[in-house]
Amino acid sequence: MESIAKLTGVSKEFHSGRGISGVNLTLSKGDIYGLLGPNGAGKTTLLKMLTGLLTPSFGSISLFGQDLDQSFASSMRKVGCMIESADFYDYVTARQYLKLNASFYPELPPQRLDEVLEAVGLAAFAKEKIRHFSTGMKQKLAMASSILHYPEFVIWDEPTNGLDIEGVVHFRALVKQLSAEQGITFLISSHMIHELEQLCNRVGILHQGVLVREGNVHELLADNISLEQYYIAELQKGKELMDNGGLNSSN
Ligand SMILES: Nc1ncnc2c1ncn2[C@@H]1O[C@H](COP(=O)(O)OP(=O)(O)OP(=O)(O)O)[C@@H](O)[C@H]1O
């Protein structure tokens, strides 16, 4: 299976002493990978390193089979990301905002702006200024922007933040559609474990910067009542190992 992203022994040490420690992780084409972990576990840090927003202190990252340092521009062309809350120009409309972003991709067909607005459920608000948007609407616009250029790999950090129930259902359908129709690979960090259970084929649990467990969701559900039950149990094991000083790298 084609490797989309590969982290080998990746660590990030912040001055605070926290960060990420020895993460090994491979995402294959077509994966919908859910990244779980408590607040401060290192999920955003890991996603930032995959997109060049942070540089690892140790280890290597490759995207699409090429070292990220060597192929940053060409790899990023195939990545769509939404990490932490997006910044917008409040005085432009949703469509104008996407048009600005589309200017980086001159090959995009003109109808693409309306396609992505429709895909995230914002078509009716295309001509409204962003300053009138709610948190959830801004989240949808950031999602639209991240898929504008037909990325092959989408990285979303807590994408359901601010979405209403209908928005969450729509989000789930969108991921499944993009995965099935365009073969997009997803890496999604979220605290919404029930969402990930319904969406992902694989999940990983980060705890205090260490990828303590990974698994195939179908296999995990065969042995556990729910992903939540698995998560709580694995987190507890991770804590015990940390307390005993026995866990300092993933896998
Ligand atoms: N620039 C920084 N300098 C120092 N410490 C940092 C920095 N960025 C993150 N950290 C620390 O690294 C750890 C991981 O942070 P990160 O934001 O990756 O966690 P997270 O899993 O995304 O958390 P949450 O679920 O709360 O969003 C935290 O303890 C955080 O305080």
Side-chain angles (χ1 to χ4, degrees), residues 14-20 37-46 48 54 84 157-158 189 191 206 209:
F14 293 117
H15 293 305
S16 58
R18 298 186 295 267
I20 291 281
N39 291 131
K43 302 177 296 297
T44 302
T45 302
L46 194 151
K48 282 184 174 175
L54 282 175
E84 295 184 321
D157 191 13
E158 302 190 26
S189 98
H191 294 289
L206 266 177

Side-chain angles (χ1 to χ4, degrees), residues 34-223:
L35 194 58
L36 292 159
N39 291 131
K43 302 177 296 297
T44 302
T45 302
L46 194 151
L47 302 189
K48 282 184 174 175
M49 286 192 287
L50 271 168
T51 49
L53 294 169
L54 282 175
T55 312
S57 310
F58 302 102
S60 63
I61 297 177
S62 67
L63 289 182
F64 311 104
Q66 291 185 293
D67 187 273
L68 186 57
D69 290 339
Q70 311 294 321
S71 63
F72 184 75
S74 60
S75 291
M76 282 303 128
R77 173 65 186 78
K78 296 189 265 184
V79 173
C81 67
M82 177 177 71
I83 297 181
E84 295 184 321
S85 46
D87 281 331
F88 295 102
Y89 305 110
D90 274 0
Y91 50 86
V92 298
T93 68
R95 200 173 188 288
Q96 285 168 335
Y97 173 75
L98 291 178
K99 199 169 177 189
L100 280 171
N101 289 348
S103 60
F104 291 104
Y105 309 100
E107 70 283 7
L108 290 181
Q111 73 274 16
R112 184 62 181 158
L113 306 184
D114 296 313
E115 273 175 15
V116 293
L117 284 166
E118 179 76 40
V120 300
L122 277 183
F125 306 98
K127 291 181 181 162
E128 274 201 28
K129 292 213 166 122
I130 297 173
R131 70 164 175 266
H132 301 309
F133 276 19
S134 68
T135 308
M137 290 164 84
K138 286 182 180 172
Q139 190 77 341
K140 289 177 187 174
L141 184 57
M143 255 184 247
S145 176
S146 72
I147 58 170
L148 188 62
H149 56 297
Y150 302 100
E152 294 176 34
F153 179 30
V154 166
I155 299 172
W156 281 342
D157 191 13
E158 302 190 26
T160 51
N161 266 3
L163 296 188
D164 58 20
I165 294 167
E166 199 186 352
V168 172
V169 173
H170 188 97
F171 156 79
R172 202 189 312 142
L174 175 65
V175 174
K176 287 187 172 167
Q177 185 192 349
L178 292 172
S179 167
E181 291 178 3
Q182 295 178 33
I184 294 178
T185 304
F186 284 89
L187 174 57
I188 300 171
S189 98
S190 179
H191 294 289
M192 309 287 278
I193 196 161
H194 298 296
E195 279 312 311
L196 295 189
E197 182 174 318
Q198 293 180 67
L199 204 50
C200 298
N201 65 321
R202 290 172 63 208
V203 290
I205 300 175
L206 266 177
H207 176 60
Q208 293 185 12
V210 175
L211 191 64
V212 290
R213 285 289 181 273
E214 263 211 283
N216 175 296
V217 172
H218 282 300
E219 289 169 14
L220 296 177
L221 289 177
D223 296 332

